[in-house]
Protein backbone atom coordinates (compact mmCIF):
# COMPACT_ATOMS: atom_id res chain seq x y z
CA UNK A 1 0.00 0.00 0.00
CA UNK A 2 1.36 3.41 -0.96
CA UNK A 3 1.65 6.28 1.57
CA UNK A 4 -1.21 8.07 -0.21
CA UNK A 5 -3.42 4.99 0.07
CA UNK A 6 -2.56 4.58 3.77
CA UNK A 7 -3.49 8.19 4.42
CA UNK A 8 -6.72 7.82 2.42
CA UNK A 9 -7.76 4.73 4.39
CA UNK A 10 -7.03 6.45 7.72
CA UNK A 11 -8.94 9.56 6.66
CA UNK A 12 -11.98 7.55 5.55
CA UNK A 13 -11.92 5.56 8.78
CA UNK A 14 -11.75 8.67 10.92
CA UNK A 15 -14.48 10.40 8.91
CA UNK A 16 -16.87 7.46 9.07
CA UNK A 17 -16.20 6.97 12.78
CA UNK A 18 -17.21 10.59 13.25
CA UNK A 19 -20.41 9.89 11.26
CA UNK A 20 -19.44 12.67 8.85
CA UNK A 21 -20.12 12.76 5.11
CA UNK A 22 -17.62 13.95 2.54
CA UNK A 23 -19.70 17.10 2.16
CA UNK A 24 -19.59 17.67 5.90
CA UNK A 25 -15.81 17.25 5.99
CA UNK A 26 -15.48 19.57 2.99
CA UNK A 27 -17.39 22.27 4.86
CA UNK A 28 -15.13 21.92 7.91
CA UNK A 29 -11.83 21.90 6.02
CA UNK A 30 -12.67 24.25 3.11
CA UNK A 31 -11.52 21.62 0.59
CA UNK A 32 -13.76 20.46 -2.25
CA UNK A 33 -15.73 17.22 -1.90
CA UNK A 34 -14.16 15.87 -5.12
CA UNK A 35 -10.68 16.65 -3.86
CA UNK A 36 -11.32 14.84 -0.58
CA UNK A 37 -12.80 11.87 -2.42
CA UNK A 38 -9.64 11.61 -4.52
CA UNK A 39 -7.49 11.72 -1.38
CA UNK A 40 -9.52 8.99 0.33
CA UNK A 41 -9.19 6.76 -2.73
CA UNK A 42 -5.43 7.30 -2.89
CA UNK A 43 -5.66 9.09 -6.24
CA UNK A 44 -4.51 12.43 -4.85
CA UNK A 45 -1.54 13.04 -2.56
CA UNK A 46 -2.37 14.53 0.83
CA UNK A 47 -0.73 17.88 1.46
CA UNK A 48 0.25 18.68 5.04
CA UNK A 49 -2.20 21.58 5.06
CA UNK A 50 -5.04 19.18 4.23
CA UNK A 51 -3.81 16.68 6.82
CA UNK A 52 -3.71 19.19 9.64
CA UNK A 53 -7.18 20.55 8.80
CA UNK A 54 -8.60 17.02 8.77
CA UNK A 55 -6.73 16.27 12.00
CA UNK A 56 -8.44 19.18 13.72
CA UNK A 57 -11.86 18.58 12.15
CA UNK A 58 -11.87 14.88 13.11
CA UNK A 59 -10.05 15.29 16.45
CA UNK A 60 -7.43 12.80 15.26
CA UNK A 61 -4.80 14.00 17.77
CA UNK A 62 -2.02 14.16 15.18
CA UNK A 63 -2.64 10.70 13.67
CA UNK A 64 -3.39 11.99 10.17
CA UNK A 65 -0.62 14.57 10.19
CA UNK A 66 1.88 11.88 11.21
CA UNK A 67 1.02 9.90 8.04
CA UNK A 68 2.25 12.71 5.77
CA UNK A 69 6.03 12.79 5.39
CA UNK A 70 7.45 16.05 6.77
CA UNK A 71 8.97 18.46 4.29
CA UNK A 72 11.57 19.41 6.84
CA UNK A 73 12.49 17.89 10.19
CA UNK A 74 11.25 20.97 12.04
CA UNK A 75 7.71 20.51 13.39
CA UNK A 76 6.56 24.01 12.45
CA UNK A 77 7.06 23.43 8.73
CA UNK A 78 3.43 22.53 8.10
CA UNK A 79 2.96 23.67 4.51
CA UNK A 80 4.68 22.61 1.29
CA UNK A 81 7.00 25.13 -0.34
CA UNK A 82 6.51 25.95 -3.98
CA UNK A 83 8.62 23.67 -6.17
CA UNK A 84 11.14 25.59 -8.30
CA UNK A 85 11.96 24.50 -11.80
CA UNK A 86 15.22 22.60 -12.31
CA UNK A 87 16.79 25.64 -13.96
CA UNK A 88 15.70 27.90 -11.12
CA UNK A 89 17.03 25.43 -8.58
CA UNK A 90 20.40 25.45 -10.33
CA UNK A 91 20.52 29.24 -10.27
CA UNK A 92 19.49 29.49 -6.62
CA UNK A 93 22.27 29.32 -4.02
CA UNK A 94 22.12 26.44 -1.57
CA UNK A 95 20.97 27.62 1.86
CA UNK A 96 23.29 26.32 4.54
CA UNK A 97 20.75 26.49 7.30
CA UNK A 98 18.74 23.29 7.38
CA UNK A 99 17.21 23.06 10.81
CA UNK A 100 17.86 20.11 13.09
CA UNK A 101 14.86 18.50 14.74
CA UNK A 102 14.70 18.94 18.49
CA UNK A 103 15.33 15.52 20.01
CA UNK A 104 12.89 15.79 22.87
CA UNK A 105 11.03 12.51 22.55
CA UNK A 106 8.12 11.12 20.54
CA UNK A 107 5.38 12.23 22.95
CA UNK A 108 6.74 15.78 23.11
CA UNK A 109 6.94 15.90 19.32
CA UNK A 110 3.36 14.60 18.99
CA UNK A 111 2.03 17.27 21.33
CA UNK A 112 3.93 20.06 19.56
CA UNK A 113 2.65 18.90 16.17
CA UNK A 114 -0.88 18.69 17.54
CA UNK A 115 -0.58 22.24 18.85
CA UNK A 116 0.78 23.43 15.51
CA UNK A 117 -2.17 21.88 13.70
CA UNK A 118 -4.66 23.63 15.95
CA UNK A 119 -2.79 26.94 15.79
CA UNK A 120 -2.81 26.83 11.98
CA UNK A 121 -6.56 26.15 12.05
CA UNK A 122 -7.13 29.21 14.25
CA UNK A 123 -7.99 27.26 17.42
CA UNK A 124 -5.45 29.12 19.52
CA UNK A 125 -6.72 28.26 22.97
CA UNK A 126 -6.82 24.59 22.01
CA UNK A 127 -3.29 24.90 20.60
CA UNK A 128 -2.20 26.47 23.88
CA UNK A 129 -3.42 23.41 25.80
CA UNK A 130 -1.35 21.11 23.61
CA UNK A 131 1.78 23.27 23.97
CA UNK A 132 1.38 23.39 27.76
CA UNK A 133 0.97 19.62 27.79
CA UNK A 134 4.26 19.37 25.88
CA UNK A 135 5.83 21.74 28.43
CA UNK A 136 4.73 19.50 31.31
CA UNK A 137 5.87 16.35 29.49
CA UNK A 138 9.38 17.82 29.16
CA UNK A 139 9.82 18.47 32.90
CA UNK A 140 13.53 18.43 33.69
CA UNK A 141 14.62 19.26 30.13
CA UNK A 142 15.23 23.02 30.02
CA UNK A 143 15.63 23.23 26.24
CA UNK A 144 12.51 21.24 25.51
CA UNK A 145 10.48 23.32 27.93
CA UNK A 146 11.85 26.53 26.41
CA UNK A 147 10.87 25.26 22.97
CA UNK A 148 7.29 24.67 24.18
CA UNK A 149 7.15 28.10 25.84
CA UNK A 150 8.19 29.76 22.58
CA UNK A 151 5.25 28.02 20.92
CA UNK A 152 2.89 29.19 23.69
CA UNK A 153 4.15 32.75 23.29
CA UNK A 154 2.87 32.89 19.72
CA UNK A 155 -0.59 33.16 21.23
CA UNK A 156 -2.50 36.16 19.92
CA UNK A 157 -2.81 38.80 22.65
CA UNK A 158 -4.95 41.91 22.37
CA UNK A 159 -2.90 45.16 22.54
CA UNK A 160 -3.11 46.89 25.90
CA UNK A 161 -4.14 43.74 27.77
CA UNK A 162 -1.53 42.32 30.11
CA UNK A 163 -0.85 38.60 29.88
CA UNK A 164 0.42 37.60 33.31
CA UNK A 165 0.98 33.90 32.66
CA UNK A 166 3.24 34.07 29.62
CA UNK A 167 5.84 36.53 31.00
CA UNK A 168 6.16 34.22 34.01
CA UNK A 169 6.73 31.20 31.74
CA UNK A 170 9.18 33.14 29.56
CA UNK A 171 11.25 34.30 32.52
CA UNK A 172 11.24 30.82 34.01
CA UNK A 173 12.43 29.27 30.76
CA UNK A 174 15.22 31.87 30.50
CA UNK A 175 16.35 31.15 34.05
CA UNK A 176 16.39 27.41 33.38
CA UNK A 177 18.70 27.93 30.36
CA UNK A 178 21.20 29.93 32.42
CA UNK A 179 24.64 28.39 32.01
CA UNK A 180 23.79 26.45 28.85
CA UNK A 181 26.27 27.71 26.22
CA UNK A 182 25.10 25.50 23.36
CA UNK A 183 24.01 27.06 20.03
CA UNK A 184 20.52 25.61 20.56
CA UNK A 185 20.23 27.38 23.91
CA UNK A 186 21.49 30.62 22.34
CA UNK A 187 18.70 30.51 19.79
CA UNK A 188 16.07 29.72 22.38
CA UNK A 189 17.25 32.58 24.60
CA UNK A 190 16.92 35.03 21.72
CA UNK A 191 13.41 33.81 20.95
CA UNK A 192 12.33 33.92 24.59
CA UNK A 193 13.71 37.44 25.05
CA UNK A 194 12.01 38.63 21.86
CA UNK A 195 8.64 37.27 22.99
CA UNK A 196 9.09 38.77 26.44
CA UNK A 197 9.88 42.15 24.85
CA UNK A 198 6.67 42.09 22.85
CA UNK A 199 4.55 41.06 25.84
CA UNK A 200 6.03 43.90 27.92
CA UNK A 201 5.51 46.42 25.11
CA UNK A 202 1.81 45.50 24.88
CA UNK A 203 1.28 45.93 28.61
CA UNK A 204 1.83 48.93 30.87
CA UNK A 205 5.65 48.88 30.65
CA UNK A 206 5.86 49.46 26.90
CA UNK A 207 9.11 51.46 27.00
CA UNK A 208 10.88 48.68 28.90
CA UNK A 209 9.63 46.18 26.32
CA UNK A 210 10.95 48.35 23.50
CA UNK A 211 14.39 48.57 25.14
CA UNK A 212 14.52 44.80 25.47
CA UNK A 213 13.40 44.37 21.84
CA UNK A 214 16.18 46.71 20.69
CA UNK A 215 18.78 44.79 22.74
CA UNK A 216 17.62 41.43 21.41
CA UNK A 217 17.65 42.68 17.83
CA UNK A 218 21.18 44.07 18.27
CA UNK A 219 22.28 40.74 19.72
CA UNK A 220 20.85 38.85 16.75
CA UNK A 221 22.45 41.17 14.21
CA UNK A 222 25.75 41.20 16.09
CA UNK A 223 26.24 37.45 15.79
CA UNK A 224 28.92 36.28 13.35
CA UNK A 225 27.35 35.04 10.08
CA UNK A 226 28.06 31.40 10.84
CA UNK A 227 26.46 31.68 14.30
CA UNK A 228 23.44 33.46 12.85
CA UNK A 229 22.98 30.69 10.28
CA UNK A 230 23.33 28.02 12.95
CA UNK A 231 20.31 29.48 14.77
CA UNK A 232 18.12 28.47 11.84
CA UNK A 233 15.87 30.63 9.68
CA UNK A 234 12.78 29.98 11.78
CA UNK A 235 14.43 31.15 15.00
CA UNK A 236 15.51 34.33 13.21
CA UNK A 237 11.94 34.83 11.96
CA UNK A 238 10.66 34.49 15.51
CA UNK A 239 13.10 37.07 16.85
CA UNK A 240 12.53 39.56 14.02
CA UNK A 241 8.73 39.28 14.23
CA UNK A 242 8.49 39.80 17.98
CA UNK A 243 11.16 42.51 18.18
CA UNK A 244 9.48 44.45 15.39
CA UNK A 245 6.18 44.52 17.28
CA UNK A 246 8.05 45.35 20.48
CA UNK A 247 9.57 48.38 18.75
CA UNK A 248 6.42 49.44 16.89
CA UNK A 249 5.70 52.50 19.05
CA UNK A 250 9.35 53.44 19.65
CA UNK A 251 11.16 53.14 16.31
CA UNK A 252 10.68 55.16 13.10
CA UNK A 253 8.63 53.62 10.33
CA UNK A 254 11.66 53.55 8.00
CA UNK A 255 13.67 51.58 10.58
CA UNK A 256 10.91 49.02 11.03
CA UNK A 257 10.60 48.70 7.25
CA UNK A 258 14.20 47.44 7.27
CA UNK A 259 13.27 44.85 9.91
CA UNK A 260 10.21 43.65 7.97
CA UNK A 261 12.30 43.30 4.79
CA UNK A 262 14.82 41.25 6.77
CA UNK A 263 11.94 39.17 8.13
CA UNK A 264 10.64 38.52 4.64
CA UNK A 265 14.02 37.16 3.57
CA UNK A 266 14.28 34.94 6.66
CA UNK A 267 10.73 33.62 6.13
CA UNK A 268 11.57 32.67 2.54
CA UNK A 269 14.60 30.76 3.79
CA UNK A 270 12.60 29.04 6.53
CA UNK A 271 9.86 28.04 4.06
CA UNK A 272 7.37 28.56 6.84
CA UNK A 273 3.78 29.44 5.91
CA UNK A 274 3.25 30.94 9.38
CA UNK A 275 6.14 33.38 9.12
CA UNK A 276 5.56 34.02 5.42
CA UNK A 277 2.14 35.44 6.31
CA UNK A 278 3.54 37.37 9.28
CA UNK A 279 6.26 38.86 7.07
CA UNK A 280 3.86 39.96 4.33
CA UNK A 281 1.49 41.72 6.76
CA UNK A 282 4.41 43.40 8.55
CA UNK A 283 5.92 44.51 5.24
CA UNK A 284 2.62 45.94 3.96
CA UNK A 285 2.08 47.84 7.23
CA UNK A 286 5.57 49.34 7.22
CA UNK A 287 5.41 50.25 3.53
CA UNK A 288 2.13 52.08 4.10
CA UNK A 289 3.50 53.96 7.10
CA UNK A 290 6.58 54.96 5.12
CA UNK A 291 4.37 56.32 2.34
CA UNK A 292 5.21 53.58 -0.18
CA UNK A 293 1.65 52.83 -1.20
CA UNK A 294 2.52 51.32 -4.61
CA UNK A 295 4.93 48.86 -2.98
CA UNK A 296 2.31 48.02 -0.36
CA UNK A 297 -0.24 47.24 -3.10
CA UNK A 298 2.15 44.67 -4.56
CA UNK A 299 2.74 43.15 -1.10
CA UNK A 300 -1.01 42.91 -0.46
CA UNK A 301 -1.41 40.99 -3.73
CA UNK A 302 1.28 38.56 -2.61
CA UNK A 303 -0.56 38.14 0.68
CA UNK A 304 -3.74 37.42 -1.29
CA UNK A 305 -2.03 34.44 -2.94
CA UNK A 306 -0.79 33.30 0.48
CA UNK A 307 -4.30 33.60 1.98
CA UNK A 308 -5.76 31.57 -0.91
CA UNK A 309 -3.32 28.76 -0.16
CA UNK A 310 -3.72 28.93 3.63
CA UNK A 311 -7.51 29.36 3.67
CA UNK A 312 -7.77 29.96 7.41
CA UNK A 313 -10.33 32.30 8.94
CA UNK A 314 -7.66 34.57 10.41
CA UNK A 315 -5.69 34.84 7.17
CA UNK A 316 -8.91 35.65 5.33
CA UNK A 317 -9.65 38.32 7.94
CA UNK A 318 -6.18 39.86 7.51
CA UNK A 319 -6.54 39.96 3.73
CA UNK A 320 -10.02 41.46 3.87
CA UNK A 321 -8.88 44.07 6.38
CA UNK A 322 -6.04 45.12 4.07
CA UNK A 323 -8.40 45.19 1.08
CA UNK A 324 -10.91 47.34 2.96
CA UNK A 325 -8.20 49.72 4.15
CA UNK A 326 -7.14 50.22 0.53
CA UNK A 327 -10.75 50.52 -0.66
CA UNK A 328 -11.25 53.37 1.81
CA UNK A 329 -7.98 54.98 0.72
CA UNK A 330 -8.98 54.85 -2.96
CA UNK A 331 -12.59 55.91 -2.42
CA UNK A 332 -14.19 52.56 -3.22
CA UNK A 333 -16.80 53.00 -0.55
CA UNK A 334 -19.35 50.45 -1.77
CA UNK A 335 -16.76 47.67 -1.72
CA UNK A 336 -15.64 48.73 1.75
CA UNK A 337 -19.22 48.82 3.04
CA UNK A 338 -19.87 45.28 1.75
CA UNK A 339 -17.14 43.96 4.02
CA UNK A 340 -17.59 46.25 7.02
CA UNK A 341 -21.35 45.83 7.37
CA UNK A 342 -21.51 42.34 5.91
CA UNK A 343 -19.09 39.47 6.28
CA UNK A 344 -16.83 41.09 8.89
CA UNK A 345 -19.66 41.30 11.41
CA UNK A 346 -20.41 37.59 11.01
CA UNK A 347 -16.74 36.64 11.45
CA UNK A 348 -16.35 38.70 14.62
CA UNK A 349 -19.56 37.29 16.09
CA UNK A 350 -18.49 33.72 15.27
CA UNK A 351 -15.03 34.15 16.76
CA UNK A 352 -16.54 35.68 19.89
CA UNK A 353 -19.01 32.80 20.21
CA UNK A 354 -16.38 30.11 19.64
CA UNK A 355 -13.91 31.73 22.05
CA UNK A 356 -11.07 30.37 19.89
CA UNK A 357 -9.50 33.79 19.33
CA UNK A 358 -9.60 36.98 21.40
CA UNK A 359 -11.98 38.99 19.23
CA UNK A 360 -11.42 42.41 20.79
CA UNK A 361 -8.85 43.45 18.19
CA UNK A 362 -11.11 42.26 15.38
CA UNK A 363 -14.04 44.19 16.82
CA UNK A 364 -11.97 47.37 17.15
CA UNK A 365 -10.69 47.01 13.59
CA UNK A 366 -14.22 46.67 12.24
CA UNK A 367 -15.45 49.64 14.26
CA UNK A 368 -12.49 51.77 13.15
CA UNK A 369 -13.15 51.02 9.50
CA UNK A 370 -16.88 51.66 9.93
CA UNK A 371 -16.10 55.02 11.54
CA UNK A 372 -13.82 56.07 8.70
CA UNK A 373 -16.28 54.97 6.01
CA UNK A 374 -19.08 57.02 7.59
CA UNK A 375 -16.77 60.00 7.93
CA UNK A 376 -15.67 59.84 4.29
CA UNK A 377 -19.32 59.69 3.23
CA UNK A 378 -20.33 62.61 5.45
CA UNK A 379 -22.41 60.36 7.71
CA UNK A 380 -20.54 60.69 11.00
CA UNK A 381 -23.81 61.42 12.81
CA UNK A 382 -24.82 57.79 12.29
CA UNK A 383 -22.06 56.78 14.71
CA UNK A 384 -24.06 58.39 17.51
CA UNK A 385 -27.51 57.53 16.15
CA UNK A 386 -26.63 53.83 15.80
CA UNK A 387 -24.78 53.55 19.10
CA UNK A 388 -21.48 52.64 17.41
CA UNK A 389 -19.80 55.59 19.14
CA UNK A 390 -20.56 53.99 22.51
CA UNK A 391 -18.02 51.26 21.78
CA UNK A 392 -15.26 53.54 20.50
CA UNK A 393 -12.07 53.20 22.50
CA UNK A 394 -10.29 55.47 20.02
CA UNK A 395 -10.35 58.79 21.91
CA UNK A 396 -8.88 60.87 19.09
CA UNK A 397 -11.39 59.50 16.61
CA UNK A 398 -14.25 60.24 18.99
CA UNK A 399 -13.06 63.83 19.51
CA UNK A 400 -12.97 64.43 15.75
CA UNK A 401 -16.41 62.85 15.36
CA UNK A 402 -17.76 65.19 18.05
CA UNK A 403 -16.36 68.16 16.13
CA UNK A 404 -17.90 67.00 12.87
CA UNK A 405 -21.34 66.60 14.43
CA UNK A 406 -21.32 70.07 16.04
CA UNK A 407 -20.85 68.70 19.57
CA UNK A 408 -18.19 71.34 20.13
CA UNK A 409 -18.39 71.66 23.90
CA UNK A 410 -17.91 67.93 24.41
CA UNK A 411 -15.11 67.87 21.83
CA UNK A 412 -13.29 70.77 23.54
CA UNK A 413 -13.61 69.13 26.96
CA UNK A 414 -12.40 65.77 25.65
CA UNK A 415 -9.43 67.35 23.87
CA UNK A 416 -8.43 69.31 26.97
CA UNK A 417 -8.71 66.15 29.09
CA UNK A 418 -6.59 64.18 26.62
CA UNK A 419 -3.90 66.86 26.68
CA UNK A 420 -3.94 66.91 30.49
CA UNK A 421 -3.82 63.10 30.77
CA UNK A 422 -0.76 62.97 28.51
CA UNK A 423 0.97 66.08 29.94
CA UNK A 424 0.64 68.03 26.74
CA UNK A 425 1.05 64.83 24.65
CA UNK A 426 4.59 64.34 26.00
CA UNK A 427 3.85 60.92 27.49
CA UNK A 428 2.72 59.50 24.15
CA UNK A 429 5.25 57.17 22.54
CA UNK A 430 7.31 58.79 19.77
CA UNK A 431 6.05 56.55 16.96
CA UNK A 432 3.44 53.89 16.19
CA UNK A 433 -0.09 54.50 17.42
CA UNK A 434 0.65 58.06 18.56
CA UNK A 435 1.08 59.26 14.94
CA UNK A 436 -2.55 58.65 13.86
CA UNK A 437 -3.71 59.87 17.28
CA UNK A 438 -1.94 63.22 16.99
CA UNK A 439 -2.99 63.49 13.33
CA UNK A 440 -6.68 63.32 14.24
CA UNK A 441 -6.27 65.56 17.29
CA UNK A 442 -4.61 68.20 15.11
CA UNK A 443 -7.57 68.19 12.73
CA UNK A 444 -10.03 68.38 15.63
CA UNK A 445 -8.09 71.25 17.20
CA UNK A 446 -8.15 73.14 13.90
CA UNK A 447 -11.92 72.77 13.60
CA UNK A 448 -12.39 74.07 17.14
CA UNK A 449 -9.95 76.94 16.62
CA UNK A 450 -11.62 78.00 13.37
CA UNK A 451 -15.00 78.03 15.08
CA UNK A 452 -13.97 80.12 18.07
CA UNK A 453 -10.43 81.49 17.70
CA UNK A 454 -10.92 83.78 20.69
CA UNK A 455 -12.41 81.09 22.93
CA UNK A 456 -10.27 81.21 26.07
CA UNK A 457 -11.55 77.76 27.07
CA UNK A 458 -9.64 76.13 24.17
CA UNK A 459 -6.10 75.36 25.37
CA UNK A 460 -3.31 76.61 23.03
CA UNK A 461 -2.26 73.14 21.87
CA UNK A 462 -1.04 73.81 18.34
CA UNK A 463 2.63 74.05 19.35
CA UNK A 464 2.57 70.76 21.30
CA UNK A 465 0.71 68.97 18.52
CA UNK A 466 3.04 70.42 15.89
CA UNK A 467 6.11 69.24 17.78
CA UNK A 468 4.74 65.69 17.92
CA UNK A 469 3.96 65.72 14.17
CA UNK A 470 7.25 67.26 13.04
CA UNK A 471 9.29 63.99 12.85
CA UNK A 472 6.60 62.31 10.75
CA UNK A 473 6.02 64.72 7.86
CA UNK A 474 7.17 62.11 5.31
CA UNK A 475 4.88 59.39 6.71
CA UNK A 476 1.30 58.30 6.29
CA UNK A 477 -0.67 58.00 9.52
CA UNK A 478 -1.83 54.40 9.81
CA UNK A 479 -4.34 53.66 12.56
CA UNK A 480 -4.46 50.15 13.98
CA UNK A 481 -2.15 47.34 12.91
CA UNK A 482 -3.64 47.93 10.31
CA UNK A 483 -7.15 49.46 10.33
CA UNK A 484 -7.34 52.78 8.45
CA UNK A 485 -4.87 54.84 6.44
CA UNK A 486 -5.73 58.34 7.64
CA UNK A 487 -3.48 60.26 5.28
CA UNK A 488 -0.21 62.21 5.38
CA UNK A 489 0.88 63.56 8.75
CA UNK A 490 2.05 66.63 6.83
CA UNK A 491 -1.59 67.51 6.09
CA UNK A 492 -2.25 67.72 9.82
CA UNK A 493 0.80 69.99 10.16
CA UNK A 494 -0.68 72.18 7.42
CA UNK A 495 -4.00 72.40 9.24
CA UNK A 496 -2.21 73.54 12.39
CA UNK A 497 -0.44 76.21 10.36
CA UNK A 498 -3.85 77.40 9.13
CA UNK A 499 -5.07 77.60 12.74
CA UNK A 500 -2.06 79.82 13.47
CA UNK A 501 -2.87 82.01 10.44
CA UNK A 502 0.29 81.03 8.52
CA UNK A 503 -1.01 80.24 5.01
CA UNK A 504 2.42 80.03 3.35
CA UNK A 505 3.60 77.36 5.79
CA UNK A 506 0.26 75.58 5.44
CA UNK A 507 0.58 75.46 1.64
CA UNK A 508 4.10 74.06 1.97
CA UNK A 509 2.81 71.19 4.12
CA UNK A 510 -0.15 70.57 1.80
CA UNK A 511 2.21 70.33 -1.18
CA UNK A 512 4.22 67.62 0.59
CA UNK A 513 1.00 65.85 1.61
CA UNK A 514 -0.25 65.78 -1.99
CA UNK A 515 2.88 63.90 -3.07
CA UNK A 516 2.04 61.12 -0.59
CA UNK A 517 -1.75 61.13 -1.20
CA UNK A 518 -1.80 61.13 -5.00
CA UNK A 519 -3.31 57.62 -5.15
CA UNK A 520 -6.20 58.59 -2.85
CA UNK A 521 -9.01 60.59 -4.53
CA UNK A 522 -10.72 61.33 -1.17
CA UNK A 523 -7.50 62.72 0.34
CA UNK A 524 -6.69 64.73 -2.77
CA UNK A 525 -10.17 66.26 -2.63
CA UNK A 526 -9.64 67.24 1.02
CA UNK A 527 -6.25 68.75 0.18
CA UNK A 528 -7.75 70.84 -2.62
CA UNK A 529 -10.33 72.12 -0.18
CA UNK A 530 -7.61 72.83 2.39
CA UNK A 531 -5.67 74.82 -0.19
Amino acid sequence: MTPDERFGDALRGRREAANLSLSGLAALTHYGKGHLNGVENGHRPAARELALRCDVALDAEGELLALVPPLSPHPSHLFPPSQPSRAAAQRRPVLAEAESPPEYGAEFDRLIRGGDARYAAGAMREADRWYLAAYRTAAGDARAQAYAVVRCARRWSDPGQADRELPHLLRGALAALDGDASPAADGLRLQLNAHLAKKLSMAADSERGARQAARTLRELRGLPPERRLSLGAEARCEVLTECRWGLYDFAPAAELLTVSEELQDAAARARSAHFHGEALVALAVDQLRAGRVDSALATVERHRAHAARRRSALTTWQQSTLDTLLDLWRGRFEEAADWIFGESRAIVERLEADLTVPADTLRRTRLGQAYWLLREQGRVGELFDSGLADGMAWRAGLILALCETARYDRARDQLAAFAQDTKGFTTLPPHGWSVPTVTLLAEAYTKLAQRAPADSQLPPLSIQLGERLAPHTSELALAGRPTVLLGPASRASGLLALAENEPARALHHFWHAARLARSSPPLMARLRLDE
Side-chain angles (χ1 to χ4, degrees):
M1 183 179 288
T2 67
D4 291 337
E5 289 171 340
R6 279 196 295 273
F7 181 88
D9 281 351
L11 176 60
R12 182 183 293 107
R14 280 283 183 175
R15 178 179 61 78
E16 291 175 350
N19 197 26
L20 195 65
S21 67
L22 273 172
S23 297
L25 184 59
L28 291 173
T29 60
H30 303 289
Y31 275 84
K33 176 181 174 182
H35 185 97
L36 292 172
N37 186 53
V39 171
E40 284 195 356
N41 291 324
H43 299 151
R44 282 179 177 269
R48 292 187 67 77
E49 181 180 357
L50 169 70
L52 70 88
R53 290 182 184 278
C54 292
D55 232 336
V56 173
L58 299 173
D59 197 23
E61 298 188 349
E63 175 191 326
L64 297 174
L65 195 60
L67 292 174
V68 180
L71 293 160
S72 112
H74 200 286
S76 70
H77 290 174
L78 297 175
F79 301 98
S82 57
Q83 297 297 321
S85 65
R86 180 173 299 179
Q90 291 172 348
R91 290 193 301 269
R92 184 174 301 169
V94 176
L95 303 179
E97 49 184 275
E99 310 218 11
S100 301
E103 298 178 359
Y104 301 143
E107 178 61 11
F108 179 89
D109 185 67
R110 184 186 73 83
L111 291 169
I112 290 292
R113 288 178 184 272
D116 288 346
R118 283 147 184 82
Y119 186 96
M124 294 190 182
R125 285 191 173 89
E126 184 66 20
D128 207 39
R129 285 193 283 271
W130 282 68
Y131 294 145
L132 288 172
Y135 174 83
R136 291 190 292 270
T137 297
D141 189 329
R143 290 187 209 166
Q145 288 202 316
Y147 187 89
V149 170
V150 167
R151 279 296 201 272
C152 287
R154 290 182 182 177
R155 176 198 305 164
W156 183 356
S157 301
D158 283 326
Q161 294 187 6
D163 189 328
R164 291 178 174 81
E165 179 189 8
L166 271 175
H168 175 74
L169 284 173
L170 289 163
R171 291 189 179 98
L174 282 165
L177 288 173
D178 192 31
D180 188 338
S182 67
D186 287 344
L188 288 167
R189 267 191 290 269
L190 282 171
Q191 293 175 77
L192 292 165
N193 275 313
H195 277 291
L196 185 57
K198 180 184 176 182
K199 299 304 177 188
L200 291 173
S201 72
M202 294 175 72
D205 201 356
S206 57
E207 192 168 353
R208 181 183 171 198
R211 287 197 300 269
Q212 176 156 333
R215 281 197 306 272
T216 305
L217 197 56
R218 285 196 301 270
E219 186 177 348
L220 173 68
R221 289 171 168 171
L223 291 174
E226 63 277 7
R227 286 283 304 279
R228 201 179 314 143
L229 286 175
S230 71
L231 291 178
E234 179 159 316
R236 296 207 307 280
C237 286
E238 197 105 43
V239 175
L240 291 167
T241 298
E242 301 306 305
C243 287
R244 177 190 165 276
W245 285 121
L247 289 167
Y248 189 81
D249 294 326
F250 291 87
E255 183 179 320
L256 289 190
L257 179 57
T258 302
V259 178
S260 59
E261 289 170 342
E262 190 176 347
L263 170 61
Q264 185 186 33
D265 178 68
R269 291 170 179 269
R271 296 182 177 181
S272 163
H274 169 74
F275 284 115
H276 181 55
E278 292 280 327
L280 288 173
V281 172
L283 183 60
V285 165
D286 293 336
Q287 287 169 333
L288 289 171
R289 295 172 65 216
R292 302 183 184 181
V293 178
D294 291 341
S295 298
L297 287 171
T299 303
V300 170
E301 288 306 309
R302 290 168 58 199
H303 186 270
R304 189 185 315 284
H306 166 75
R309 290 192 299 269
R310 193 78 184 263
R311 291 187 287 188
S312 72
L314 289 177
T315 307
T316 300
W317 171 272
Q318 288 174 319
Q319 181 62 44
S320 298
T321 297
L322 288 166
D323 286 340
T324 303
L325 178 150
L326 292 169
D327 284 339
L328 292 169
W329 173 254
R330 293 181 287 193
R332 299 176 180 176
F333 298 140
E334 289 187 10
E335 290 88 340
D338 286 343
W339 164 253
I340 293 168
F341 299 116
E343 188 179 356
S344 69
R345 179 186 299 176
I347 289 180
V348 172
E349 290 174 351
R350 177 165 60 81
L351 290 173
E352 284 181 318
D354 291 346
L355 296 177
T356 55
V357 175
D360 189 52
T361 299
L362 310 186
R363 190 167 53 251
R364 291 184 190 182
T365 298
R366 178 177 174 272
L367 180 56
Q369 292 188 331
Y371 160 61
W372 203 248
L373 172 64
L374 293 175
R375 181 182 188 253
E376 293 288 71
Q377 293 181 319
R379 301 161 52 199
V380 180
E382 294 181 24
L383 277 174
F384 299 94
D385 298 338
S386 66
L388 282 173
D390 297 337
M392 281 191 68
W394 193 9
R395 290 179 69 183
L398 180 59
I399 292 169
L400 183 58
L402 290 168
C403 287
E404 296 192 337
T405 54
R407 294 166 167 85
Y408 299 114
D409 290 341
R410 284 183 60 193
R412 184 178 58 245
D413 292 344
Q414 291 274 354
L415 179 57
F418 196 115
Q420 184 176 13
D421 292 345
T422 58
K423 298 180 180 178
F425 314 113
T426 59
T427 61
L428 296 178
H431 302 280
W433 69 266
S434 68
V435 178
T437 294
V438 177
T439 297
L440 291 188
L441 292 177
E443 186 165 358
Y445 175 84
T446 302
K447 290 181 181 296
L448 291 170
Q450 288 171 344
R451 175 178 175 271
D455 186 349
S456 60
Q457 295 181 6
L458 182 64
L461 301 176
S462 59
I463 294 177
Q464 296 98 313
L465 289 168
E467 288 174 348
R468 298 313 306 266
L469 285 168
H472 308 288
T473 52
S474 63
E475 298 176 18
L476 292 173
L478 178 70
R481 304 188 182 194
T483 300
V484 173
L485 198 57
L486 304 178
S490 51
R491 176 178 178 256
S493 296
L495 293 174
L496 289 174
L498 276 183
E500 296 170 359
N501 198 25
E502 297 184 29
R505 186 160 65 92
L507 286 170
H508 175 75
H509 285 301
F510 293 153
W511 180 79
H512 279 287
R515 296 176 62 189
L516 291 171
R518 62 184 180 273
S519 61
S520 174
L523 256 298
M524 291 303 295
R526 289 187 186 277
L527 282 165
R528 292 189 189 99
L529 184 59
D530 296 335
E531 291 173 357

